[in-house]
Amino acid sequence: MREPALVTRMRPFTSTIFAEMTALAVRTGAVNLGQGFPDTDGPAGMLAVAKESIDGGLNQYPPGPGMPVLRQAIAEHRARYGTEYDPDTEILVTVGATEAIAASLLALVEPGDEVVLIEPYYDSYAACVALAGGTRRSVGLVEEPGTGRLGLDVEALRAAIGPRTKAILVNTPHNPTGTVLNRAELAEIARLCVEHDLVAITDEVYEHLVFDDLEHVPLASLPGMRERTVAISSAGKSFNCTGWKIGWVCAPAPLVGAVRAAKQFLTFVGGAPFQPAVAHALRHELEWVEELRTSLQNKRSRLAEGLTEAGFAVRPSEGTYFITADVRPLGFHDGLELCHALPERIGVAAVPVQVFTDHPEKWQHLVRFAFCKKDEVLDEAIRRLHKLNV
């Protein structure tokens, strides 16, 4: 057999930092603040509908586009932002947002097309661009003077767009930094998309998890953007059901049709008994989500204070599950090296931001911590992190 077996374009993506750090946490008994999954369940009403669906026989293939009850609930939910979608022709249910992103890139990007990513970016983005045969161009967020907020570099974004640019992938609220792109930043993205006739693919899975009275603004809601935006979200983060993998695409019918053509040969369908449960959650559990948002905001502040006391220089987190911290005040300079050492050294797992970038040297001072954990778990992690400053 010819070696190596893996095709060239996928060789940089043989493992994920999340699997690596979680395995290290398990082996060492470390508190895992690396992988972003909650340690509590979602709303009881949603869980009850899932159980009823299983008991009621909803265990076979659902319809290819997704169950009508869920597509209708997604349309109603999306209308809250002022964007209307036809549940029959403009909404597609996917196996999580990760599949939605992969299918969108496979459907819309030709080999040689360029896709602009905003770095640091979630690791699947680069892998999916490679799967599609595209070329990625990355634009880094920049620290704003005075606040340390990581904001959009509009001029760098403009410079990254060229004649072969086909699409831009926008993630807000942003993983891994916790930045929430504001209306002015999104308006600049929209202006460039219209000017250069780009498709925008938006990852909005943290749409409800925004803090400090900030707002999530869907890019599709801005002038000229509905017709060129593939809006992606999911139930996992909003309803504490990351293992269910129920996501969706909202876009004009020609774009949804293209994405569906690719998606049907990935998983075909998935999650039959969970789809009615997510429909229930979108319609009846948003008060529960608001309580979750408030809880996470408090956890964000709890961990930020603990990290600061431990000697880290904490960057603002405006949403998501995550907060980033500068390791240099503690005498460290390489976040990847530190994250590999932390589980053995003090019993805490985190993730280095540099693995989410094309320019690791610019980001090696930052590490990402997840605060979507019980307070006692966060407190134990903080206690252990103080040992770094001893």
Side-chain angles (χ1 to χ4, degrees):
M1 180 176 176
R2 296 180 181 181
E3 296 291 345
L6 185 63
V7 296
T8 303
R9 68 181 182 277
M10 293 307 295
R11 288 175 196 167
F13 309 107
T14 54
S15 64
T16 74
I17 192 67
F18 306 111
E20 184 180 347
M21 288 300 150
T22 294
L24 191 54
V26 170
R27 181 170 62 80
T28 60
V31 177
N32 188 359
L33 301 189
Q35 193 165 8
F37 60 86
D39 53 7
T40 55
D41 280 332
M46 178 188 75
L47 301 179
V49 173
K51 294 171 186 175
E52 292 165 5
S53 298
I54 292 170
D55 291 341
L58 287 179
N59 301 303
Q60 310 308 324
Y61 297 130
M67 287 184 177
V69 65
L70 177 54
R71 285 185 278 120
Q72 181 61 48
I74 292 166
E76 294 166 8
H77 177 263
R78 204 69 190 177
R80 296 162 61 94
Y81 298 120
T83 50
E84 303 284 341
Y85 292 96
D86 184 331
D88 293 327
T89 62
E90 297 185 315
I91 294 175
L92 172 67
V93 177
T94 60
V95 180
T98 302
E99 185 194 46
I101 292 163
S104 297
L105 290 166
L106 287 168
L108 302 174
V109 174
E110 296 280 6
D113 285 347
E114 293 181 352
V115 180
V116 176
L117 306 181
I118 297 171
E119 71 171 18
Y121 48 73
Y122 186 64
D123 64 349
S124 79
Y125 298 173
C128 290
V129 172
L131 280 170
T135 300
R136 69 180 183 272
R137 298 284 300 274
S138 59
V139 176
L141 296 175
V142 292
E143 289 192 11
E144 296 177 351
T147 67
R149 176 184 182 266
L150 290 159
L152 182 68
D153 186 338
V154 176
E155 292 309 312
L157 179 59
R158 174 175 286 280
I161 297 171
R164 295 195 63 85
T165 306
K166 178 69 176 291
I168 179 171
L169 208 169
V170 179
N171 173 212
T172 183
H174 184 261
N175 174 14
T177 67
T179 289
V180 176
L181 295 179
N182 58 41
R183 190 174 290 272
E185 291 170 318
L186 290 164
E188 292 292 342
I189 295 174
R191 184 168 58 84
L192 290 170
C193 286
V194 172
E195 178 183 341
H196 295 279
D197 192 24
L198 305 182
V199 174
I201 301 169
T202 62
D203 178 351
E204 304 175 42
V205 298
Y206 294 98
E207 60 185 301
H208 290 292
L209 308 183
V210 176
F211 310 140
D212 305 321
D213 297 321
L214 298 176
E215 63 172 343
H216 169 62
V217 179
L219 190 60
S221 69
L222 298 184
M225 290 308 295
R226 186 195 181 280
E227 61 266 33
R228 64 179 65 251
T229 301
V230 177
I232 293 168
S233 194
S234 75
K237 304 304 192 299
S238 294
F239 300 107
N240 279 17
C241 57
T242 60
W244 288 12
K245 302 299 291 181
I246 301 295
W248 49 85
V249 171
C250 298
L255 291 175
V256 163
V259 176
R260 183 171 60 246
K263 179 262 186 296
Q264 66 187 343
F265 295 109
L266 296 176
T267 60
F268 182 47
V269 292
F274 302 131
Q275 291 191 29
V278 172
H280 166 89
L282 287 170
R283 285 175 166 150
H284 303 294
E285 302 291 359
L286 292 184
E287 287 187 11
W288 183 94
V289 175
E290 176 58 22
E291 292 175 2
L292 173 66
R293 187 203 63 78
T294 300
S295 170
L296 285 169
Q297 178 174 304
N298 292 335
K299 292 175 187 294
R300 180 276 317 261
S301 299
R302 189 187 201 100
L303 183 56
E305 182 179 345
L307 289 169
T308 300
E309 291 174 351
F312 292 89
V314 177
R315 300 293 185 263
S317 171
E318 300 171 327
T320 74
Y321 284 170
F322 308 112
I323 194 164
T324 58
D326 189 337
V327 304
R328 291 174 297 187
L330 286 162
F332 302 102
H333 299 282
D334 189 327
L336 180 61
E337 183 179 307
L338 178 61
C339 287
H340 277 120
L342 280 178
E344 291 276 8
R345 184 168 174 176
I346 62 168
V348 176
V351 169
V353 171
Q354 68 203 74
V355 302
F356 304 119
T357 76
D358 295 326
H359 305 92
E361 69 282 355
K362 296 181 179 179
W363 298 94
Q364 63 182 10
H365 60 289
L366 291 180
V367 298
R368 189 197 80 172
F369 295 93
F371 50 78
C372 51
K373 310 295 180 181
K374 296 174 183 176
D375 286 347
E376 56 266 33
V377 174
L378 295 177
D379 290 343
E380 177 59 23
I382 291 166
R383 185 188 68 79
R384 296 182 185 191
L385 286 163
H386 274 74
K387 297 177 183 178
L388 284 174
N389 210 6
V390 175

Coordinates of all heavy atoms in Angstrom, one line a residue, residues 143 307 310-315 323-340 342 345 350-354 363-369 385 388-389:
E143 N -6.1 43.5 19.2 CA -6.4 44.0 20.6 C -6.6 45.5 20.5 O -5.8 46.3 19.9 CB -5.2 43.7 21.5 CG -5.2 42.2 21.9 CD -4.2 42.0 23.1 OE1 -3.8 43.0 23.7 OE2 -3.9 40.8 23.4
L307 N -8.6 34.0 37.6 CA -7.4 34.1 36.7 C -6.5 35.3 37.0 O -5.3 35.2 37.0 CB -7.8 34.0 35.3 CG -8.4 32.7 34.7 CD1 -9.0 32.9 33.4 CD2 -7.3 31.6 34.7
A310 N -4.7 34.8 40.1 CA -3.6 33.9 39.9 C -2.4 34.4 39.1 O -1.4 33.8 39.0 CB -4.1 32.6 39.2
G311 N -2.6 35.6 38.5 CA -1.5 36.3 37.9 C -1.6 36.4 36.4 O -0.7 37.0 35.7
F312 N -2.7 35.9 35.8 CA -2.9 36.0 34.3 C -3.4 37.4 34.0 O -4.0 38.1 34.8 CB -3.9 35.0 33.9 CG -3.5 33.6 33.9 CD1 -3.7 32.8 35.1 CD2 -2.9 32.9 32.8 CE1 -3.4 31.5 35.1 CE2 -2.6 31.6 32.9 CZ -2.8 30.9 34.0
A313 N -3.1 37.8 32.8 CA -3.7 39.1 32.3 C -4.9 38.7 31.4 O -4.7 38.2 30.3 CB -2.7 39.9 31.4
V314 N -6.1 38.9 31.9 CA -7.3 38.4 31.3 C -7.8 39.4 30.2 O -7.8 40.6 30.4 CB -8.4 38.2 32.4 CG1 -9.7 37.7 31.8 CG2 -7.9 37.1 33.4
R315 N -8.2 38.8 29.1 CA -8.8 39.6 28.0 C -10.4 39.6 28.2 O -10.9 38.6 28.7 CB -8.5 39.0 26.7 CG -6.9 39.0 26.4 CD -6.4 40.4 26.3 NE -5.0 40.4 25.9 CZ -4.0 40.6 26.8 NH1 -4.2 40.7 28.1 NH2 -2.7 40.6 26.4
I323 N -13.0 32.3 27.9 CA -12.3 33.5 28.2 C -10.8 33.2 27.9 O -10.3 32.1 28.0 CB -12.5 33.9 29.7 CG1 -12.0 35.3 30.0 CG2 -11.8 32.9 30.6 CD1 -12.5 35.8 31.3
T324 N -10.1 34.2 27.4 CA -8.7 34.0 27.1 C -7.8 34.8 28.1 O -8.3 35.9 28.6 CB -8.3 34.5 25.6 OG1 -8.7 35.9 25.5 CG2 -9.1 33.6 24.6
A325 N -6.6 34.3 28.3 CA -5.7 35.0 29.3 C -4.3 34.9 28.8 O -3.9 33.9 28.2 CB -5.8 34.3 30.6
D326 N -3.6 36.0 29.0 CA -2.2 36.2 28.6 C -1.3 35.5 29.7 O -1.4 35.8 30.9 CB -1.9 37.7 28.5 CG -0.5 38.0 27.9 OD1 0.3 37.1 28.0 OD2 -0.4 39.1 27.4
V327 N -0.4 34.6 29.3 CA 0.4 33.9 30.2 C 1.7 34.6 30.5 O 2.4 34.2 31.5 CB 0.7 32.5 29.7 CG1 -0.6 31.7 29.4 CG2 1.6 32.5 28.5
R328 N 2.0 35.7 29.9 CA 3.3 36.3 30.0 C 3.6 36.9 31.4 O 4.7 36.8 31.9 CB 3.5 37.4 28.9 CG 3.7 36.7 27.5 CD 3.8 37.8 26.4 NE 2.5 38.5 26.3 CZ 2.2 39.4 25.4 NH1 3.1 39.7 24.4 NH2 1.1 40.0 25.4
P329 N 2.6 37.5 32.1 CA 2.8 38.0 33.4 C 3.3 36.9 34.4 O 3.9 37.3 35.4 CB 1.5 38.6 33.8 CG 0.8 38.9 32.6 CD 1.2 37.8 31.6
L330 N 3.0 35.7 34.1 CA 3.5 34.6 35.0 C 4.8 34.0 34.6 O 5.3 33.1 35.2 CB 2.4 33.4 34.9 CG 1.1 33.7 35.7 CD1 0.0 32.8 35.2 CD2 1.3 33.6 37.2
G331 N 5.4 34.7 33.6 CA 6.8 34.3 33.2 C 6.8 33.2 32.1 O 7.9 32.7 31.7
F332 N 5.7 32.9 31.5 CA 5.6 31.9 30.4 C 5.5 32.7 29.1 O 4.9 33.8 29.0 CB 4.4 31.0 30.6 CG 4.5 30.2 31.9 CD1 3.6 30.6 32.9 CD2 5.3 29.2 32.0 CE1 3.7 29.9 34.1 CE2 5.3 28.4 33.2 CZ 4.5 28.8 34.3
H333 N 5.9 32.1 28.0 CA 5.8 32.7 26.7 C 5.2 31.9 25.6 O 4.9 32.4 24.5 CB 7.2 33.1 26.2 CG 7.9 34.1 27.2 ND1 7.6 35.4 27.2 CD2 8.8 33.8 28.2 CE1 8.4 36.0 28.2 NE2 9.1 35.1 28.8
D334 N 5.0 30.6 25.9 CA 4.4 29.7 24.8 C 3.2 29.0 25.4 O 3.3 28.1 26.3 CB 5.5 28.7 24.4 CG 5.0 27.9 23.2 OD1 3.8 27.6 23.1 OD2 5.9 27.5 22.4
G335 N 2.0 29.4 25.0 CA 0.8 28.8 25.5 C 0.6 27.3 25.2 O 0.1 26.6 26.1
L336 N 1.1 26.9 24.1 CA 1.0 25.5 23.8 C 1.9 24.6 24.7 O 1.4 23.6 25.3 CB 1.5 25.2 22.3 CG 1.5 23.8 21.8 CD1 0.1 23.2 21.8 CD2 2.1 23.7 20.4
E337 N 3.1 25.1 25.0 CA 4.0 24.4 25.9 C 3.4 24.4 27.3 O 3.4 23.4 28.0 CB 5.3 25.1 25.9 CG 6.4 24.5 26.8 CD 7.7 25.2 26.7 OE1 8.2 25.4 25.6 OE2 8.2 25.6 27.8
L338 N 2.8 25.5 27.7 CA 2.2 25.6 29.0 C 1.0 24.7 29.2 O 0.8 24.0 30.2 CB 1.8 27.0 29.4 CG 1.1 27.3 30.7 CD1 2.0 26.9 31.9 CD2 0.7 28.7 30.9
C339 N 0.1 24.7 28.1 CA -1.1 23.8 28.2 C -0.7 22.3 28.3 O -1.4 21.5 28.9 CB -2.0 24.1 27.0 SG -2.8 25.7 27.2
H340 N 0.4 21.9 27.6 CA 0.8 20.6 27.7 C 1.3 20.2 29.1 O 1.2 19.1 29.6 CB 1.9 20.3 26.7 CG 1.3 19.9 25.3 ND1 1.6 20.7 24.2 CD2 0.5 19.0 24.9 CE1 1.0 20.2 23.2 NE2 0.3 19.1 23.5
L342 N 0.4 21.9 32.1 CA -0.6 22.2 33.2 C -1.2 21.0 33.8 O -1.3 20.9 35.0 CB -1.6 23.2 32.7 CG -1.3 24.7 32.6 CD1 -2.5 25.5 32.0 CD2 -0.9 25.2 34.0
R345 N 1.3 19.4 35.9 CA 1.9 20.3 36.9 C 1.0 20.7 38.0 O 1.3 20.7 39.2 CB 2.5 21.5 36.2 CG 3.2 22.5 37.1 CD 3.9 23.5 36.2 NE 4.5 24.6 37.1 CZ 5.3 25.6 36.6 NH1 5.6 25.6 35.3 NH2 5.8 26.5 37.4
A350 N -6.3 23.4 29.8 CA -6.7 24.5 29.0 C -6.3 24.3 27.5 O -5.7 23.3 27.2 CB -6.1 25.8 29.5
V351 N -6.6 25.3 26.7 CA -6.3 25.1 25.2 C -5.5 26.3 24.8 O -5.9 27.5 25.1 CB -7.6 25.0 24.4 CG1 -7.3 25.1 22.9 CG2 -8.3 23.6 24.7
P352 N -4.4 26.1 24.1 CA -3.6 27.3 23.5 C -4.3 27.9 22.3 O -4.8 27.2 21.4 CB -2.3 26.6 23.2 CG -2.7 25.2 22.8 CD -3.8 24.8 23.7
V353 N -4.4 29.2 22.3 CA -5.1 29.9 21.2 C -4.3 29.7 19.9 O -4.9 29.7 18.8 CB -5.3 31.4 21.6 CG1 -5.8 32.2 20.4 CG2 -6.3 31.5 22.7
Q354 N -3.0 29.6 20.0 CA -2.2 29.6 18.7 C -2.5 28.4 17.8 O -2.3 28.5 16.6 CB -0.7 29.5 19.1 CG -0.3 28.2 19.8 CD 1.0 28.4 20.6 OE1 1.0 29.0 21.6 NE2 2.1 27.9 20.0
W363 N 0.0 34.7 18.5 CA -1.0 34.3 19.4 C -0.5 33.4 20.5 O -1.3 32.9 21.4 CB -2.2 33.6 18.7 CG -2.9 34.5 17.7 CD1 -2.6 34.6 16.4 CD2 -3.9 35.4 18.0 NE1 -3.4 35.5 15.8 CE2 -4.2 36.1 16.7 CE3 -4.6 35.8 19.1 CZ2 -5.2 37.0 16.6 CZ3 -5.6 36.8 19.0 CH2 -5.9 37.4 17.8
Q364 N 0.8 33.1 20.6 CA 1.2 32.1 21.5 C 1.2 32.5 23.0 O 1.4 31.6 23.8 CB 2.7 31.7 21.1 CG 3.7 32.7 21.2 CD 5.1 32.2 20.8 OE1 5.2 31.1 20.2 NE2 6.1 33.0 21.0
H365 N 0.9 33.8 23.2 CA 0.8 34.2 24.6 C -0.6 34.0 25.2 O -0.7 34.2 26.4 CB 1.2 35.7 24.7 CG 0.3 36.6 23.9 ND1 0.3 36.6 22.5 CD2 -0.7 37.5 24.3 CE1 -0.6 37.5 22.1 NE2 -1.2 38.0 23.1
L366 N -1.5 33.6 24.4 CA -2.9 33.5 24.9 C -3.3 32.0 25.1 O -3.0 31.2 24.2 CB -3.9 34.2 24.0 CG -3.9 35.7 24.0 CD1 -4.9 36.2 23.0 CD2 -4.1 36.3 25.3
V367 N -4.1 31.7 26.2 CA -4.7 30.4 26.3 C -6.2 30.6 26.6 O -6.6 31.7 27.1 CB -4.0 29.6 27.5 CG1 -2.6 29.3 27.2 CG2 -4.2 30.3 28.8
R368 N -6.9 29.6 26.2 CA -8.4 29.7 26.4 C -8.9 28.7 27.5 O -8.5 27.6 27.6 CB -9.1 29.2 25.1 CG -10.6 29.5 25.0 CD -11.2 28.7 23.9 NE -11.4 27.3 24.3 CZ -12.1 26.4 23.6 NH1 -12.6 26.7 22.4 NH2 -12.3 25.2 24.0
F369 N -9.7 29.3 28.4 CA -10.4 28.5 29.4 C -11.9 28.5 29.2 O -12.5 29.5 28.8 CB -10.1 29.1 30.8 CG -8.6 29.1 31.2 CD1 -7.8 30.2 30.9 CD2 -8.1 28.0 31.9 CE1 -6.5 30.2 31.3 CE2 -6.7 28.0 32.2 CZ -5.9 29.1 32.0
L385 N -4.8 26.8 39.9 CA -4.1 27.7 39.1 C -3.3 28.7 39.9 O -2.3 29.2 39.4 CB -5.1 28.5 38.2 CG -5.6 27.7 37.0 CD1 -6.9 28.4 36.4 CD2 -4.6 27.5 35.9
L388 N 0.5 28.3 40.2 CA 1.5 28.7 39.2 C 2.2 30.0 39.7 O 3.3 30.3 39.2 CB 0.8 29.1 37.9 CG 0.4 27.9 37.0 CD1 -0.4 28.4 35.8 CD2 1.6 27.2 36.5
N389 N 1.6 30.7 40.6 CA 2.2 31.9 41.1 C 2.9 31.8 42.4 O 3.3 32.8 43.0 CB 1.0 33.0 41.3 CG 1.5 34.4 41.0 OD1 2.6 34.6 40.6 ND2 0.6 35.3 41.3

